[in-house]
Amino acid sequence: MTTFLVAAIQMDTTSNQDQNLSVAADFIGEAAKKGAKLIALPETMAYLGRDYAALSEAVPGGKTATYLSALARKYGVYIEGGSLYERNENDPVRPYNTTFLLGPDGAFLGKYSKLHPFDVVLDSGVTSRESSHVAPGHEIVTVKTAGVGLGFGICYDLRFGELFRLMALRGAQILVLPANFTEATGRAHWEVLVRARAIENECYVIAPNQVGKKPRFTAYGHSLIVDPRGKVLAEADGTETGVIYAPIDLDLVSKVRKETFTLQNRREDIYSLCLK
């Protein structure tokens, strides 16, 4: 498929898992009925509270992945599962923050765990150590399905441009970034970074964000779908939940890459990106 409609769902996830899944199901049904073929959810879509480890799940096979698999099969759509806390058998108190892709038959097509925990210590005294309760992932993930190359990041990963460049070099045409970006950093950096990742990698970016008051901050909202030239095709507001839509044209990815040659004109005789 070269042209199709995508949807990004903006949620106000709470600590009530069953309610969150019901809300997601309603939005997925709405998007499917409007013709979306790929539907993306935000970070920590199933649960957002303090019991990270206790409510961690298997991926695939756990409650949320199984629930979303049934919805993908029901509507015949691809679902990018936002992210959830995936059980970590090697460190039970630190689950992974994992996103995954489901096919229109409900099949599990791959998963990615957030590589970059949000660990910061500010001069003001504000401290965040996500790595104290969430384990970092171990690999970059791209998936090719139905002729479409997809790459995955989660929230704070957005600030690490080399991750997205490597995914583009591996064949990604669409970059999916579920997020729970804060209001303060979102106002300053969210749109400019999402658009930059699209422009520099000549890819579409689908970025579903959380909205609303969370345990430690207010989420920014403003979910985005951006084209390979950096044009914002759709944007949610900063206060309400809902679904945004945009058409994807993979021929545009090819066209833009033949206009700007960003990937081809890298000087690998001088510098290179490599995996450990």
Side-chain angles (χ1 to χ4, degrees):
M1 61 185 175
T2 59
T3 60
F4 51 95
L5 189 70
V6 300
I9 294 174
Q10 183 162 286
M11 292 179 64
D12 184 2
T13 296
T14 69
S15 59
N16 186 328
Q17 186 184 48
D18 289 337
Q19 179 179 303
N20 297 330
L21 292 178
S22 178
V23 168
D26 288 343
F27 283 139
I28 289 168
E30 172 189 323
K33 288 173 184 176
K34 290 193 176 182
K37 299 303 181 186
L38 169 62
I39 302 169
L41 292 152
E43 184 182 17
T44 55
M45 54 75 58
Y47 172 81
L48 220 170
R50 300 188 183 277
D51 296 329
Y52 308 100
L55 288 174
S56 61
E57 309 177 39
V59 181
K63 177 178 178 177
T64 298
T66 301
Y67 184 84
L68 293 178
S69 174
L71 290 172
R73 187 167 57 252
K74 175 181 178 179
Y75 293 113
V77 297
Y78 290 88
I79 294 178
E80 182 279 322
S83 80
L84 54 80
Y85 294 109
E86 180 190 7
R87 189 174 302 129
N88 181 356
E89 301 298 342
N90 296 317
D91 189 349
V93 300
R94 291 199 310 156
Y96 296 108
N97 185 351
T98 297
T99 188
F100 52 94
L101 183 68
L102 300 164
D105 57 355
F108 183 81
L109 300 178
K111 67 179 180 179
Y112 162 80
S113 296
K114 185 178 180 182
L115 287 179
H116 303 96
F118 184 58
D119 287 0
V120 297
V121 180
L122 304 181
D123 291 341
S124 64
V126 174
T127 300
S128 174
R129 293 198 181 279
E130 188 178 18
S131 62
S132 68
H133 59 265
V134 176
H138 304 290
E139 62 177 333
I140 296 169
V141 175
T142 57
V143 172
K144 189 163 187 178
T145 178
V148 183
L150 297 104
F152 305 92
I154 298 174
C155 201
Y156 187 53
D157 285 335
L158 178 62
R159 297 184 180 276
F160 298 86
E162 58 270 39
L163 168 62
F164 294 85
R165 174 52 52 85
L166 283 165
M167 290 190 288
L169 292 173
R170 287 182 169 192
Q173 300 151 296
I174 301 173
L175 303 168
V176 189
L177 182 90
N180 182 21
F181 234 71
T182 73
E183 188 175 53
T185 55
R187 282 196 304 271
H189 300 149
W190 173 248
E191 181 178 321
V192 68
L193 286 173
V194 172
R195 293 178 67 195
R197 298 295 88 88
I199 293 166
E200 66 199 7
N201 295 299
E202 302 155 330
C203 290
Y204 284 92
V205 178
I206 305 170
N209 200 15
Q210 289 280 346
V211 71
K213 185 70 175 175
K214 307 305 179 190
R216 296 187 61 190
F217 57 82
T218 298
Y220 183 58
H222 294 276
S223 298
L224 293 168
I225 303 174
V226 178
D227 81 4
R229 292 192 175 107
K231 179 182 179 181
V232 175
L233 300 178
E235 179 178 1
D237 71 16
T239 60
E240 301 293 331
T241 61
V243 189
I244 59 173
Y245 303 88
I248 296 290
D249 180 1
L250 296 182
D251 289 339
L252 179 62
V253 176
S254 300
K255 185 176 189 297
V256 172
R257 289 180 176 178
K258 291 175 182 177
E259 292 172 347
T260 56
F261 291 91
T262 305
L263 301 181
Q264 298 93 323
N265 285 337
R266 292 173 304 109
R267 287 290 306 277
E268 289 196 286
D269 57 322
I270 304 297
Y271 59 85
S272 65
L273 286 172
C274 61
L275 296 175
K276 297 291 186 181

